[in-house]
Amino acid sequence: MDFDVLIIGGGAAGLSCALVIGSGLDKAFAKNRKAGIILHQRSSHLQSALLNNVFGITPGTKGMDVLKAGADQLTELYPKMQQITKEKVKEVAEINGGFRVVTNKNEYTAEKVVIAVGYTSPFRISGLEEYLIPHQKAKLSKDRVQLKNQDHLVKPGLYVAGTLAGWRSQYAIASGSGAAVATDILTDWNDGEHTKVHDKLA
Ligand SMILES: Cc1cc2nc3c(=O)[nH]c(=O)nc-3n(C[C@H](O)[C@H](O)[C@H](O)COP(=O)(O)OP(=O)(O)OC[C@H]3O[C@@H](n4cnc5c(N)ncnc54)[C@H](O)[C@@H]3O)c2cc1C
């Protein structure tokens, strides 16, 4: 497999997931694990957002600036998290022991995949149709979608995060969802023993 985990989508949920997994890659239980993110950001809802009501973010911050800062933070702090840019995912197919992710330019294999591409309809990634349902926490008239899941797990090895997991569209909720999936994956790598990554003041 090219990756132990491949995150699809570089918005609030995808980037949060990548930062938390990235912060765990130096742990003993993650030794030799390969992680990556398909960091497509053009259609993130954050591109047009103005953030006034998010804890920890200076009121008046533009969503597009948060997207850029998040990608830079990932590059600087967690370079082991491979960033794949300028590619859009077209298909996710189940293969023996994992998934094949097909983009407009390449193909990758991964044992685990996190889908964090937002809740916009029509949903354009083929191979996931059987999990697609109308969004349970958005106005019907908006025609949003989600993937059926239980606590972010669609099926073994396949996770969904952010608005596509069925959460309401708020930045903090989407970020928290991505971070939650990251800790589930780190815990799995840690043989099921619960784990998280905390940095402390010296
Ligand atoms: C105008 C506006 C204002 C908002 N204001 C606020 C606010 O004030 N406060 C607040 O809390 N929230 C606000 N939000 C909501 C917030 O932006 C969303 O809740 C949040 O961005 C959802 O995160 P997400 O990761 O689920 O989706 P997104 O952030 O939309 O990320 C999805 C990512 O997937 C990528 N992607 C899509 N398709 C593919 C594909 N096929 N292959 C690869 N990548 C793909 C996209 O480019 C994008 O980067 C606002 C949203 C909008 C639209």
Side-chain angles (χ1 to χ4, degrees):
M1 293 279 165
D2 299 318
F3 293 98
D4 290 278
V5 62
L6 184 59
I7 300 158
I8 302 173
L15 263 174
S16 297
C17 187
L19 285 163
V20 175
I21 290 181
S23 71
L25 288 176
D26 281 332
K27 302 281 179 194
F29 63 73
K31 196 164 182 256
N32 299 326
R33 295 285 186 184
K34 285 173 286 172
I37 176 168
I38 297 184
L39 195 69
H40 185 281
Q41 295 191 314
R42 200 153 0 128
S43 53
S44 170
H45 279 205
L46 280 175
Q47 292 288 6
S48 52
L50 179 67
L51 301 173
N52 288 319
N53 59 357
V54 184
F55 177 65
I57 292 200
T58 307
T61 298
K62 292 178 185 156
M64 66 173 76
D65 292 340
V66 171
L67 285 171
K68 171 145 192 346
D72 291 348
Q73 184 182 351
L74 195 58
T75 305
E76 280 159 30
L77 293 182
Y78 310 121
K80 284 186 186 164
M81 171 65 64
Q82 191 181 324
Q83 293 182 32
I84 299 163
T85 56
K86 301 192 177 131
E87 291 186 32
K88 206 160 183 185
V89 173
K90 299 270 177 211
E91 184 188 354
V92 174
E94 198 167 356
I95 55 171
N96 203 4
F99 301 88
R100 185 177 65 241
V101 174
V102 183
T103 74
N104 51 336
K105 294 184 184 158
N106 285 300
E107 277 190 29
Y108 307 94
T109 54
E111 193 186 314
K112 296 184 195 305
V113 167
V114 182
I115 316 276
V117 298
Y119 66 168
T120 302
S121 177
F123 185 78
R124 298 192 189 277
I125 300 178
S126 63
L128 301 173
E129 296 80 359
E130 66 180 292
Y131 309 112
L132 203 63
I133 57 170
H135 201 282
Q136 304 296 291
K137 289 188 172 180
K139 268 190 189 167
L140 216 55
S141 58
K142 294 265 187 183
D143 196 24
R144 305 299 193 189
V145 293
Q146 68 170 83
L147 297 183
K148 267 184 277 180
N149 69 91
Q150 272 209 321
D151 193 15
H152 296 110
L153 195 63
V154 176
K155 62 178 297 179
L158 185 64
Y159 299 79
V160 60
T163 47
L164 187 63
W167 296 111
R168 288 197 186 90
S169 178
Q170 293 284 166
Y171 175 83
I173 299 177
S175 298
S177 165
V181 170
T183 55
D184 286 346
I185 289 170
L186 295 177
T187 293
D188 185 68
W189 289 351
N190 196 30
D191 285 333
E193 196 176 316
H194 292 291
T195 191
K196 61 222 182 278
V197 184
H198 287 180
D199 298 312
K200 284 188 243 171
L201 290 172

